[in-house]
Amino acid sequence: MAGESGSDAGPDSSPCYLQKFRLYETRSNFYMIGRDKNRTLWRVLKIDRLDPSELTVIEDSTAYSEIECFDLLRRIHEGNRSSGGLKFVTACYGIVGM
């Protein structure tokens, strides 16, 4: 996620680095929401938490605005309301990979 520029970026665009992340969870998925320093670009990483034998990570190719991202989170919450909805877990400023 970090260090990628959007697919619609022009040739004069510099890469956008995500600096702040918020982790949310539903019963079946984790959602890592990253944003840039200026709060102009929001990206979503979806991590499946139901299959213990395989790590399934899906990076949403859409670059969201702040309003669009919060609308997406609201829709995820509504769609998972029967199993507890979407819950905020923590905020962080980096991701450690493997």
Side-chain angles (χ1 to χ4, degrees):
M1 271 172 72
E4 290 187 4
S5 60
S7 59
D8 57 326
D12 296 329
S13 298
S14 60
C16 179
Y17 297 96
L18 303 178
Q19 294 188 342
K20 185 172 182 184
F21 301 88
R22 292 176 63 91
L23 181 65
Y24 295 87
E25 67 178 354
T26 63
R27 186 166 176 243
S28 58
N29 295 297
F30 288 111
Y31 294 90
M32 181 66 75
I33 310 298
R35 70 164 172 83
D36 67 344
K37 180 179 181 180
N38 297 324
R39 300 176 69 108
T40 58
L41 176 75
W42 300 70
R43 299 291 305 268
V44 178
L45 195 66
K46 179 179 173 181
I47 305 164
D48 181 4
R49 59 189 296 200
L50 294 180
D51 186 353
S53 63
E54 186 174 335
L55 177 62
T56 304
V57 179
I58 300 169
E59 182 177 359
D60 188 336
S61 62
T62 304
Y64 295 95
S65 69
E66 184 172 10
I67 292 170
E68 293 168 334
C69 189
F70 285 120
D71 184 53
L72 174 66
L73 293 174
R74 181 189 55 76
R75 286 183 281 133
I76 292 170
H77 177 70
E78 292 296 323
N80 289 276
R81 187 176 292 262
S82 64
S83 61
L86 182 71
K87 298 175 184 164
F88 173 74
V89 177
T90 190
C92 53
Y93 291 91
I95 299 174
V96 176
M98 58 179 164

Coordinates of all heavy atoms in Angstrom, one line a residue:
M1 N 0.8 -1.2 0.0 CA 0.0 0.0 0.0 C 0.9 1.3 0.0 O 0.6 2.1 -0.8 CB -0.9 0.0 1.2 CG -2.2 -0.6 1.0 SD -3.2 -0.8 2.5 CE -3.7 0.9 2.8
A2 N 1.8 1.3 0.9 CA 2.6 2.5 1.0 C 3.5 2.6 -0.2 O 4.1 1.6 -0.7 CB 3.4 2.6 2.3
G3 N 3.8 3.8 -0.7 CA 4.7 4.0 -1.8 C 4.1 3.9 -3.1 O 4.7 4.0 -4.1
E4 N 2.8 3.6 -3.2 CA 2.2 3.4 -4.5 C 1.4 4.7 -4.9 O 0.9 5.4 -4.1 CB 1.1 2.3 -4.5 CG 1.7 0.9 -4.3 CD 0.7 -0.2 -4.5 OE1 -0.5 0.2 -4.7 OE2 1.0 -1.3 -4.3
S5 N 1.4 5.0 -6.2 CA 0.6 6.1 -6.6 C -0.6 5.5 -7.3 O -0.6 4.3 -7.7 CB 1.4 6.9 -7.7 OG 1.8 6.1 -8.8
G6 N -1.7 6.3 -7.3 CA -2.9 5.8 -7.9 C -2.8 5.5 -9.4 O -1.9 6.1 -10.1
S7 N -3.6 4.6 -9.9 CA -3.5 4.3 -11.3 C -3.9 5.4 -12.2 O -3.5 5.4 -13.4 CB -4.4 3.0 -11.6 OG -5.7 3.3 -11.3
D8 N -4.6 6.4 -11.7 CA -5.0 7.5 -12.5 C -4.1 8.7 -12.4 O -4.4 9.8 -12.9 CB -6.5 7.9 -12.2 CG -6.6 8.3 -10.7 OD1 -5.9 7.7 -9.9 OD2 -7.4 9.2 -10.4
A9 N -2.9 8.5 -11.8 CA -2.0 9.6 -11.6 C -1.3 9.9 -12.9 O -1.0 9.0 -13.7 CB -0.9 9.2 -10.5
G10 N -1.2 11.2 -13.1 CA -0.5 11.6 -14.3 C 1.0 11.5 -14.2 O 1.5 11.2 -13.2
P11 N 1.7 11.8 -15.4 CA 3.1 11.6 -15.4 C 3.9 12.6 -14.5 O 5.0 12.3 -14.1 CB 3.5 11.9 -16.8 CG 2.3 12.6 -17.4 CD 1.1 12.2 -16.6
D12 N 3.3 13.7 -14.1 CA 3.9 14.7 -13.2 C 3.6 14.4 -11.8 O 4.1 15.1 -10.9 CB 3.5 16.1 -13.6 CG 4.0 16.5 -15.0 OD1 5.0 16.0 -15.4 OD2 3.3 17.3 -15.6
S13 N 2.8 13.4 -11.5 CA 2.4 13.1 -10.1 C 3.6 12.4 -9.4 O 4.2 11.5 -9.9 CB 1.2 12.2 -10.0 OG 0.1 12.9 -10.6
S14 N 3.8 12.8 -8.1 CA 4.8 12.1 -7.3 C 4.1 11.0 -6.6 O 2.9 11.0 -6.4 CB 5.4 13.1 -6.3 OG 4.4 13.6 -5.4
P15 N 4.8 9.9 -6.1 CA 4.2 8.8 -5.4 C 3.6 9.3 -4.1 O 4.0 10.3 -3.5 CB 5.4 7.9 -5.1 CG 6.5 8.4 -5.9 CD 6.3 9.8 -6.3
C16 N 2.5 8.7 -3.8 CA 1.8 9.0 -2.6 C 2.1 8.0 -1.5 O 2.0 6.8 -1.7 CB 0.3 9.0 -2.8 SG -0.6 9.4 -1.3
Y17 N 2.6 8.4 -0.3 CA 2.9 7.5 0.7 C 1.9 7.6 1.8 O 1.5 8.7 2.3 CB 4.3 7.9 1.3 CG 5.4 7.7 0.3 CD1 5.8 8.8 -0.5 CD2 5.9 6.5 0.0 CE1 6.8 8.6 -1.5 CE2 6.9 6.3 -1.0 CZ 7.3 7.4 -1.7 OH 8.3 7.2 -2.7
L18 N 1.4 6.5 2.2 CA 0.4 6.4 3.3 C 1.1 6.5 4.6 O 2.1 5.8 4.8 CB -0.4 5.2 3.2 CG -1.1 5.0 1.9 CD1 -1.9 3.7 1.8 CD2 -2.0 6.2 1.6
Q19 N 0.6 7.3 5.5 CA 1.4 7.6 6.8 C 0.6 7.2 8.0 O 1.2 6.9 9.1 CB 1.8 9.0 6.9 CG 2.8 9.4 5.8 CD 3.3 10.8 6.0 OE1 2.7 11.6 6.8 NE2 4.4 11.1 5.4
K20 N -0.7 7.2 8.0 CA -1.5 6.8 9.2 C -2.4 5.7 8.8 O -3.1 5.8 7.7 CB -2.2 8.0 9.8 CG -2.9 7.7 11.1 CD -3.5 8.9 11.7 CE -4.1 8.5 13.1 NZ -4.8 9.6 13.7
F21 N -2.6 4.8 9.7 CA -3.4 3.6 9.4 C -4.4 3.4 10.6 O -4.1 3.7 11.7 CB -2.6 2.3 9.2 CG -1.6 2.5 8.1 CD1 -0.3 3.0 8.3 CD2 -1.9 2.1 6.8 CE1 0.6 3.1 7.3 CE2 -1.0 2.2 5.8 CZ 0.2 2.7 6.0
R22 N -5.6 2.9 10.3 CA -6.6 2.5 11.3 C -7.0 1.1 11.0 O -7.3 0.8 9.8 CB -7.8 3.5 11.3 CG -7.4 4.9 11.7 CD -8.5 5.9 11.6 NE -9.7 5.5 12.5 CZ -9.8 5.9 13.7 NH1 -9.0 6.7 14.3 NH2 -10.9 5.6 14.4
L23 N -7.0 0.3 12.0 CA -7.4 -1.1 11.8 C -8.8 -1.3 12.4 O -9.1 -0.9 13.5 CB -6.5 -2.1 12.6 CG -6.8 -3.6 12.4 CD1 -6.6 -4.0 11.0 CD2 -5.9 -4.3 13.4
Y24 N -9.7 -1.9 11.5 CA -11.1 -2.2 11.9 C -11.2 -3.7 11.7 O -10.5 -4.4 11.0 CB -12.1 -1.5 11.0 CG -12.1 0.0 11.1 CD1 -11.2 0.7 10.4 CD2 -12.9 0.6 12.0 CE1 -11.2 2.1 10.5 CE2 -12.9 2.0 12.1 CZ -12.1 2.7 11.3 OH -12.0 4.1 11.4
E25 N -12.3 -4.3 12.4 CA -12.5 -5.7 12.2 C -14.0 -6.0 12.2 O -14.8 -5.3 12.8 CB -11.9 -6.5 13.4 CG -12.6 -6.3 14.7 CD -11.9 -7.1 15.8 OE1 -11.1 -8.0 15.6 OE2 -12.3 -6.9 17.0
T26 N -14.4 -7.0 11.4 CA -15.7 -7.6 11.5 C -15.4 -9.1 11.9 O -14.3 -9.5 12.1 CB -16.4 -7.6 10.1 OG1 -15.6 -8.4 9.2 CG2 -16.6 -6.2 9.6
R27 N -16.4 -9.8 12.0 CA -16.2 -11.2 12.4 C -15.4 -12.0 11.4 O -14.6 -12.9 11.8 CB -17.6 -11.9 12.6 CG -17.5 -13.3 13.2 CD -18.9 -13.8 13.6 NE -18.7 -15.2 14.0 CZ -19.3 -16.2 13.5 NH1 -20.1 -16.0 12.5 NH2 -19.1 -17.4 13.9
S28 N -15.5 -11.6 10.1 CA -14.8 -12.4 9.1 C -13.6 -11.7 8.5 O -12.8 -12.4 7.8 CB -15.8 -12.7 8.0 OG -16.4 -11.6 7.4
N29 N -13.4 -10.4 8.7 CA -12.3 -9.7 8.0 C -11.7 -8.6 8.9 O -12.4 -8.1 9.8 CB -12.8 -9.0 6.7 CG -13.2 -10.0 5.7 OD1 -12.4 -10.8 5.2 ND2 -14.5 -9.9 5.3
F30 N -10.4 -8.3 8.6 CA -9.8 -7.1 9.1 C -9.8 -6.1 8.0 O -9.6 -6.5 6.8 CB -8.3 -7.3 9.6 CG -8.2 -8.1 10.8 CD1 -7.7 -9.4 10.8 CD2 -8.5 -7.6 12.0 CE1 -7.6 -10.2 12.0 CE2 -8.4 -8.3 13.2 CZ -7.9 -9.6 13.2
Y31 N -9.9 -4.8 8.3 CA -9.8 -3.8 7.3 C -8.7 -2.8 7.7 O -8.9 -2.1 8.8 CB -11.1 -3.1 7.1 CG -12.2 -3.9 6.5 CD1 -13.0 -4.7 7.3 CD2 -12.4 -4.0 5.1 CE1 -14.0 -5.5 6.8 CE2 -13.3 -4.9 4.6 CZ -14.1 -5.6 5.4 OH -15.1 -6.4 4.9
M32 N -7.6 -2.7 7.0 CA -6.6 -1.7 7.3 C -6.8 -0.5 6.4 O -6.8 -0.6 5.2 CB -5.2 -2.3 7.1 CG -4.1 -1.3 7.4 SD -3.9 -0.9 9.1 CE -3.2 -2.4 9.8
I33 N -7.1 0.7 7.0 CA -7.4 1.9 6.2 C -6.2 2.8 6.3 O -5.8 3.1 7.5 CB -8.7 2.6 6.8 CG1 -9.8 1.6 6.9 CG2 -9.0 3.8 5.9 CD1 -10.3 1.0 5.6
G34 N -5.6 3.1 5.2 CA -4.4 4.0 5.2 C -4.7 5.3 4.6 O -5.5 5.4 3.6
R35 N -4.1 6.4 5.1 CA -4.3 7.7 4.4 C -2.9 8.4 4.3 O -2.0 8.1 5.0 CB -5.2 8.5 5.2 CG -4.7 9.0 6.6 CD -5.6 10.1 7.1 NE -5.3 10.5 8.4 CZ -4.3 11.4 8.8 NH1 -3.5 11.9 7.9 NH2 -4.1 11.7 10.0
D36 N -2.9 9.3 3.4 CA -1.7 10.1 3.2 C -1.6 11.3 4.3 O -2.6 11.5 5.0 CB -1.6 10.7 1.8 CG -2.6 11.7 1.4 OD1 -3.6 11.8 2.2 OD2 -2.4 12.4 0.4
K37 N -0.5 12.0 4.3 CA -0.3 13.0 5.3 C -1.3 14.2 5.1 O -1.8 14.7 6.1 CB 1.1 13.6 5.1 CG 1.5 14.7 6.0 CD 2.9 15.2 5.8 CE 3.3 16.3 6.7 NZ 4.7 16.7 6.5
N38 N -1.7 14.5 3.9 CA -2.6 15.6 3.7 C -4.1 15.2 3.7 O -5.0 16.0 3.5 CB -2.3 16.2 2.3 CG -1.0 16.8 2.2 OD1 -0.5 17.3 3.2 ND2 -0.3 16.6 1.1
R39 N -4.4 13.9 4.1 CA -5.8 13.4 4.2 C -6.5 13.6 2.9 O -7.7 13.9 2.8 CB -6.5 14.1 5.3 CG -5.9 13.9 6.7 CD -6.6 14.7 7.7 NE -7.9 14.1 8.0 CZ -8.3 13.5 9.1 NH1 -7.4 13.2 10.0 NH2 -9.5 13.0 9.2
T40 N -5.8 13.4 1.7 CA -6.5 13.5 0.4 C -6.6 12.2 -0.2 O -7.4 12.1 -1.2 CB -5.7 14.4 -0.5 OG1 -4.3 13.9 -0.6 CG2 -5.6 15.9 0.0
L41 N -5.9 11.2 0.2 CA -6.0 9.8 -0.4 C -6.1 8.8 0.7 O -5.4 8.8 1.6 CB -4.7 9.6 -1.2 CG -4.5 8.2 -1.8 CD1 -5.4 8.1 -3.0 CD2 -3.1 7.9 -2.1
W42 N -7.1 7.9 0.5 CA -7.4 6.9 1.5 C -7.4 5.5 0.7 O -8.0 5.4 -0.4 CB -8.8 7.1 2.1 CG -8.8 8.4 2.9 CD1 -8.9 9.6 2.3 CD2 -8.9 8.5 4.3 NE1 -8.9 10.6 3.4 CE2 -8.9 9.9 4.5 CE3 -8.9 7.6 5.3 CZ2 -9.0 10.4 5.8 CZ3 -8.9 8.2 6.6 CH2 -9.0 9.5 6.9
R43 N -6.8 4.5 1.2 CA -6.7 3.2 0.6 C -7.2 2.1 1.6 O -7.1 2.3 2.8 CB -5.3 2.9 0.2 CG -4.7 3.8 -0.9 CD -5.3 3.8 -2.2 NE -5.3 2.4 -2.8 CZ -4.4 1.9 -3.6 NH1 -3.3 2.7 -3.9 NH2 -4.5 0.7 -4.1
V44 N -7.6 1.0 1.1 CA -8.2 -0.1 1.9 C -7.5 -1.4 1.6 O -7.4 -1.8 0.5 CB -9.7 -0.2 1.7 CG1 -10.3 -1.4 2.5 CG2 -10.4 1.1 2.0
L45 N -7.1 -2.1 2.7 CA -6.6 -3.4 2.6 C -7.5 -4.4 3.4 O -7.8 -4.1 4.6 CB -5.2 -3.4 3.2 CG -4.3 -4.6 3.0 CD1 -3.9 -4.7 1.5 CD2 -3.0 -4.5 3.8
K46 N -8.0 -5.4 2.8 CA -8.9 -6.3 3.4 C -8.2 -7.7 3.7 O -7.6 -8.2 2.8 CB -10.1 -6.6 2.5 CG -11.2 -7.5 3.0 CD -12.3 -7.7 2.0 CE -13.3 -8.7 2.3 NZ -14.3 -8.8 1.3
I47 N -8.3 -8.1 4.9 CA -7.6 -9.4 5.3 C -8.6 -10.4 5.8 O -9.3 -10.1 6.8 CB -6.5 -9.1 6.4 CG1 -5.5 -8.0 5.9 CG2 -5.8 -10.3 6.8 CD1 -4.7 -7.3 7.0
D48 N -8.7 -11.5 5.2 CA -9.6 -12.6 5.6 C -9.1 -13.2 6.9 O -8.0 -13.5 7.0 CB -9.7 -13.6 4.5 CG -10.6 -14.7 4.8 OD1 -11.3 -14.7 5.9 OD2 -10.7 -15.7 4.0
R49 N -10.0 -13.3 7.9 CA -9.6 -13.9 9.1 C -10.3 -15.2 9.4 O -10.2 -15.8 10.5 CB -9.8 -12.9 10.3 CG -11.2 -12.4 10.5 CD -11.4 -11.3 11.4 NE -11.0 -11.7 12.8 CZ -11.3 -11.1 13.9 NH1 -12.1 -10.0 13.8 NH2 -11.0 -11.5 15.1
L50 N -11.0 -15.8 8.4 CA -11.7 -17.1 8.6 C -10.9 -18.3 8.2 O -11.1 -19.4 8.8 CB -13.0 -17.1 7.8 CG -14.1 -16.1 8.3 CD1 -15.3 -16.2 7.5 CD2 -14.4 -16.3 9.8
D51 N -10.0 -18.2 7.3 CA -9.2 -19.4 6.8 C -7.9 -19.4 7.6 O -7.0 -18.7 7.2 CB -9.0 -19.3 5.3 CG -8.3 -20.5 4.8 OD1 -8.0 -21.4 5.5 OD2 -8.2 -20.6 3.5
P52 N -7.8 -20.3 8.6 CA -6.5 -20.4 9.3 C -5.3 -21.0 8.6 O -4.2 -20.9 9.0 CB -6.9 -21.3 10.5 CG -8.0 -22.1 10.0 CD -8.7 -21.3 9.0
S53 N -5.6 -21.6 7.4 CA -4.5 -22.2 6.7 C -3.9 -21.4 5.6 O -2.9 -21.7 5.0 CB -5.0 -23.6 6.1 OG -6.0 -23.3 5.1
E54 N -4.5 -20.2 5.3 CA -4.0 -19.4 4.2 C -4.3 -17.9 4.5 O -5.3 -17.5 5.0 CB -4.7 -19.8 2.9 CG -4.2 -19.0 1.7 CD -4.8 -19.5 0.4 OE1 -5.3 -20.7 0.4 OE2 -4.8 -18.8 -0.5
L55 N -3.3 -17.1 4.3 CA -3.4 -15.7 4.4 C -3.9 -15.1 3.1 O -3.3 -15.1 2.1 CB -2.0 -15.0 4.8 CG -2.0 -13.5 4.9 CD1 -2.9 -13.1 6.1 CD2 -0.6 -13.0 5.1
T56 N -5.1 -14.5 3.2 CA -5.7 -13.9 2.0 C -5.8 -12.4 2.3 O -6.6 -11.9 3.2 CB -7.1 -14.5 1.8 OG1 -7.0 -15.9 1.6 CG2 -7.7 -13.9 0.5
V57 N -5.1 -11.6 1.5 CA -5.1 -10.2 1.6 C -5.5 -9.6 0.3 O -4.9 -9.9 -0.8 CB -3.6 -9.7 2.0 CG1 -3.6 -8.2 2.1 CG2 -3.2 -10.3 3.3
I58 N -6.4 -8.7 0.3 CA -6.9 -8.1 -0.9 C -6.7 -6.5 -0.8 O -7.3 -5.9 0.1 CB -8.4 -8.4 -1.2 CG1 -8.6 -9.9 -1.4 CG2 -8.9 -7.6 -2.4 CD1 -10.0 -10.4 -1.3
E59 N -6.0 -6.0 -1.7 CA -5.8 -4.5 -1.7 C -6.8 -3.9 -2.7 O -6.8 -4.3 -3.9 CB -4.4 -4.1 -2.2 CG -4.1 -2.7 -2.2 CD -2.7 -2.3 -2.5 OE1 -1.9 -3.1 -2.7 OE2 -2.4 -1.1 -2.5
D60 N -7.6 -3.1 -2.2 CA -8.6 -2.4 -3.0 C -7.9 -1.4 -3.9 O -7.1 -0.6 -3.4 CB -9.6 -1.7 -2.1 CG -10.8 -1.1 -2.8 OD1 -10.7 -0.8 -4.1 OD2 -11.8 -0.9 -2.2
S61 N -8.1 -1.5 -5.2 CA -7.4 -0.6 -6.1 C -7.9 0.8 -6.2 O -7.3 1.7 -6.8 CB -7.4 -1.2 -7.6 OG -8.7 -1.3 -8.0
T62 N -9.1 1.0 -5.5 CA -9.7 2.4 -5.5 C -9.0 3.3 -4.6 O -8.6 2.9 -3.5 CB -11.2 2.2 -5.1 OG1 -11.8 1.3 -5.9 CG2 -11.9 3.6 -5.1
A63 N -8.7 4.5 -5.0 CA -8.2 5.6 -4.2 C -9.4 6.4 -3.7 O -10.1 7.0 -4.5 CB -7.2 6.4 -4.9
Y64 N -9.7 6.4 -2.4 CA -10.9 7.0 -1.9 C -10.6 8.4 -1.4 O -9.5 8.7 -0.9 CB -11.5 6.2 -0.7 CG -12.0 4.8 -1.1 CD1 -11.2 3.7 -1.0 CD2 -13.3 4.6 -1.6 CE1 -11.6 2.4 -1.3 CE2 -13.8 3.4 -1.9 CZ -12.9 2.3 -1.8 OH -13.4 1.0 -2.1
S65 N -11.6 9.3 -1.3 CA -11.6 10.5 -0.6 C -12.0 10.2 0.8 O -12.4 9.1 1.1 CB -12.5 11.5 -1.2 OG -13.9 11.1 -0.9
E66 N -11.8 11.1 1.7 CA -12.2 10.8 3.1 C -13.7 10.5 3.3 O -14.0 9.5 3.9 CB -11.8 12.1 4.0 CG -12.1 11.9 5.5 CD -11.6 13.0 6.3 OE1 -11.2 14.0 5.8 OE2 -11.6 12.8 7.6
I67 N -14.5 11.2 2.6 CA -16.0 11.0 2.7 C -16.3 9.6 2.1 O -17.1 8.9 2.6 CB -16.7 12.1 1.9 CG1 -16.6 13.4 2.7 CG2 -18.2 11.8 1.8 CD1 -17.1 14.6 2.0
E68 N -15.7 9.3 0.9 CA -16.0 8.0 0.3 C -15.5 6.8 1.2 O -16.2 5.8 1.3 CB -15.2 7.9 -1.0 CG -15.8 8.8 -2.1 CD -14.9 8.9 -3.3 OE1 -13.6 8.7 -3.2 OE2 -15.4 9.2 -4.4
C69 N -14.4 7.0 1.9 CA -13.9 6.0 2.8 C -14.8 5.8 4.0 O -15.1 4.6 4.3 CB -12.5 6.3 3.2 SG -11.7 5.0 4.1
F70 N -15.2 6.8 4.6 CA -16.2 6.7 5.7 C -17.5 6.1 5.3 O -18.1 5.4 6.0 CB -16.3 8.0 6.4 CG -15.1 8.4 7.3 CD1 -14.4 9.5 7.1 CD2 -14.7 7.5 8.3 CE1 -13.3 9.8 7.8 CE2 -13.6 7.8 9.0 CZ -12.8 9.0 8.8
D71 N -17.9 6.4 4.1 CA -19.1 5.8 3.5 C -19.0 4.3 3.3 O -19.9 3.5 3.7 CB -19.6 6.5 2.2 CG -20.9 6.0 1.7 OD1 -21.9 6.0 2.5 OD2 -20.9 5.5 0.5
L72 N -17.8 3.9 2.8 CA -17.5 2.5 2.7 C -17.5 1.8 4.0 O -18.1 0.7 4.2 CB -16.1 2.3 2.0 CG -15.6 0.9 1.9 CD1 -16.5 0.0 1.0 CD2 -14.2 0.8 1.5
L73 N -16.9 2.4 5.1 CA -16.9 1.8 6.4 C -18.3 1.7 7.0 O -18.7 0.7 7.6 CB -16.0 2.6 7.3 CG -14.5 2.6 7.0 CD1 -13.8 3.6 7.9 CD2 -14.0 1.2 7.1
R74 N -19.1 2.7 6.7 CA -20.5 2.6 7.2 C -21.3 1.5 6.5 O -22.0 0.7 7.2 CB -21.2 4.0 6.8 CG -22.7 4.0 7.3 CD -23.4 5.3 6.8 NE -23.4 5.4 5.4 CZ -24.1 4.7 4.5 NH1 -25.0 3.8 5.0 NH2 -24.1 4.9 3.2
R75 N -21.1 1.3 5.2 CA -21.7 0.2 4.5 C -21.2 -1.1 5.0 O -22.0 -2.1 5.1 CB -21.5 0.4 3.0 CG -22.4 1.5 2.4 CD -22.3 1.6 0.9 NE -21.0 2.3 0.6 CZ -20.1 1.9 -0.3 NH1 -20.3 0.8 -1.0 NH2 -19.0 2.6 -0.5
I76 N -19.9 -1.3 5.3 CA -19.4 -2.5 5.8 C -20.1 -2.8 7.2 O -20.5 -3.9 7.4 CB -17.9 -2.5 5.9 CG1 -17.2 -2.4 4.5 CG2 -17.4 -3.7 6.7 CD1 -15.8 -2.2 4.6
H77 N -20.2 -1.8 8.0 CA -20.8 -1.9 9.3 C -22.3 -2.4 9.1 O -22.7 -3.3 9.8 CB -20.8 -0.6 10.1 CG -21.5 -0.7 11.4 ND1 -21.0 -1.4 12.4 CD2 -22.7 -0.1 11.8 CE1 -21.9 -1.3 13.5 NE2 -22.9 -0.5 13.1
E78 N -23.0 -1.7 8.3 CA -24.4 -2.1 8.0 C -24.6 -3.5 7.5 O -25.4 -4.3 8.0 CB -25.1 -1.1 7.1 CG -25.3 0.3 7.6 CD -26.2 0.3 8.8 OE1 -27.2 -0.4 8.8 OE2 -25.9 1.1 9.7
G79 N -23.7 -3.9 6.6 CA -23.7 -5.3 6.1 C -23.4 -6.4 7.0 O -23.7 -7.5 6.8
N80 N -22.7 -6.0 8.1 CA -22.2 -7.0 9.1 C -22.9 -6.8 10.5 O -22.5 -7.3 11.5 CB -20.7 -6.9 9.3 CG -20.0 -7.4 8.1 OD1 -19.7 -8.6 8.0 ND2 -19.6 -6.5 7.2
R81 N -24.0 -6.0 10.5 CA -24.7 -5.7 11.7 C -25.1 -6.9 12.5 O -25.0 -7.0 13.7 CB -25.9 -4.8 11.5 CG -26.5 -4.2 12.7 CD -27.7 -3.3 12.4 NE -27.2 -2.1 11.8 CZ -27.0 -0.9 12.5 NH1 -27.2 -0.9 13.8 NH2 -26.5 0.2 11.9
S82 N -25.6 -7.9 11.8 CA -26.1 -9.1 12.5 C -25.0 -9.9 13.2 O -25.3 -10.7 14.1 CB -26.8 -10.1 11.5 OG -25.9 -10.5 10.5
S83 N -23.8 -9.7 12.8 CA -22.7 -10.4 13.5 C -21.8 -9.5 14.3 O -20.7 -9.8 14.6 CB -21.8 -11.2 12.4 OG -21.3 -10.3 11.5
G84 N -22.3 -8.3 14.7 CA -21.6 -7.4 15.5 C -21.1 -6.2 14.8 O -20.6 -5.3 15.5
G85 N -21.2 -6.1 13.5 CA -20.8 -4.9 12.8 C -19.3 -4.7 12.7 O -18.6 -5.6 12.9
L86 N -19.0 -3.5 12.3 CA -17.5 -3.1 12.1 C -17.1 -2.5 13.4 O -17.7 -1.5 13.9 CB -17.4 -2.2 11.0 CG -16.0 -1.7 10.6 CD1 -15.2 -2.8 10.0 CD2 -16.1 -0.5 9.6
K87 N -15.9 -2.9 13.9 CA -15.4 -2.3 15.2 C -14.0 -1.8 14.9 O -13.2 -2.4 14.3 CB -15.3 -3.4 16.2 CG -16.7 -4.0 16.6 CD -16.6 -5.1 17.6 CE -17.9 -5.7 17.8 NZ -17.9 -7.0 18.5
F88 N -13.7 -0.6 15.5 CA -12.4 0.0 15.5 C -11.5 -0.8 16.4 O -11.9 -1.1 17.5 CB -12.5 1.5 15.9 CG -11.1 2.1 16.0 CD1 -10.4 2.4 14.9 CD2 -10.6 2.3 17.3 CE1 -9.1 3.0 15.1 CE2 -9.4 2.9 17.5 CZ -8.6 3.2 16.4
V89 N -10.3 -1.1 16.0 CA -9.3 -1.9 16.8 C -8.2 -1.0 17.3 O -8.0 -0.8 18.5 CB -8.7 -3.1 16.0 CG1 -7.7 -3.8 16.9 CG2 -9.8 -4.0 15.6
T90 N -7.5 -0.3 16.4 CA -6.4 0.6 16.8 C -5.9 1.5 15.7 O -6.2 1.2 14.5 CB -5.2 -0.3 17.3 OG1 -4.2 0.5 17.9 CG2 -4.5 -1.1 16.1
A91 N -5.2 2.5 16.0 CA -4.5 3.4 15.1 C -3.1 3.1 15.1 O -2.5 2.7 16.1 CB -4.8 4.8 15.4
C92 N -2.4 3.2 13.9 CA -1.0 3.0 13.9 C -0.3 3.8 12.8 O -1.0 4.4 12.0 CB -0.7 1.5 13.7 SG -1.5 0.7 12.2
Y93 N 1.0 3.9 12.8 CA 1.7 4.8 11.9 C 2.7 4.0 11.0 O 3.5 4.6 10.3 CB 2.5 5.9 12.7 CG 1.5 6.9 13.2 CD1 1.0 6.7 14.5 CD2 1.0 7.9 12.5 CE1 0.1 7.5 15.1 CE2 0.1 8.8 13.1 CZ -0.3 8.6 14.3 OH -1.2 9.5 14.9
G94 N 2.6 2.7 11.0 CA 3.4 1.9 10.1 C 2.9 0.4 10.2 O 2.1 0.0 11.0
I95 N 3.3 -0.3 9.2 CA 2.9 -1.7 9.1 C 4.2 -2.5 9.0 O 5.1 -2.2 8.2 CB 2.1 -2.0 7.8 CG1 0.8 -1.2 7.9 CG2 1.7 -3.5 7.7 CD1 -0.1 -1.3 6.7
V96 N 4.3 -3.6 9.8 CA 5.5 -4.5 9.7 C 5.0 -5.6 8.8 O 4.0 -6.3 9.0 CB 5.9 -5.0 11.1 CG1 7.0 -6.0 11.0 CG2 6.3 -3.8 12.0
G97 N 5.8 -6.0 7.8 CA 5.4 -7.0 6.9 C 6.2 -8.3 7.1 O 7.1 -8.4 8.0
M98 N 6.0 -9.3 6.3 CA 6.7 -10.5 6.4 C 7.1 -11.0 5.0 O 6.6 -10.6 4.1 CB 5.9 -11.6 7.1 CG 4.6 -11.9 6.4 SD 3.8 -13.2 7.3 CE 2.1 -13.0 6.6

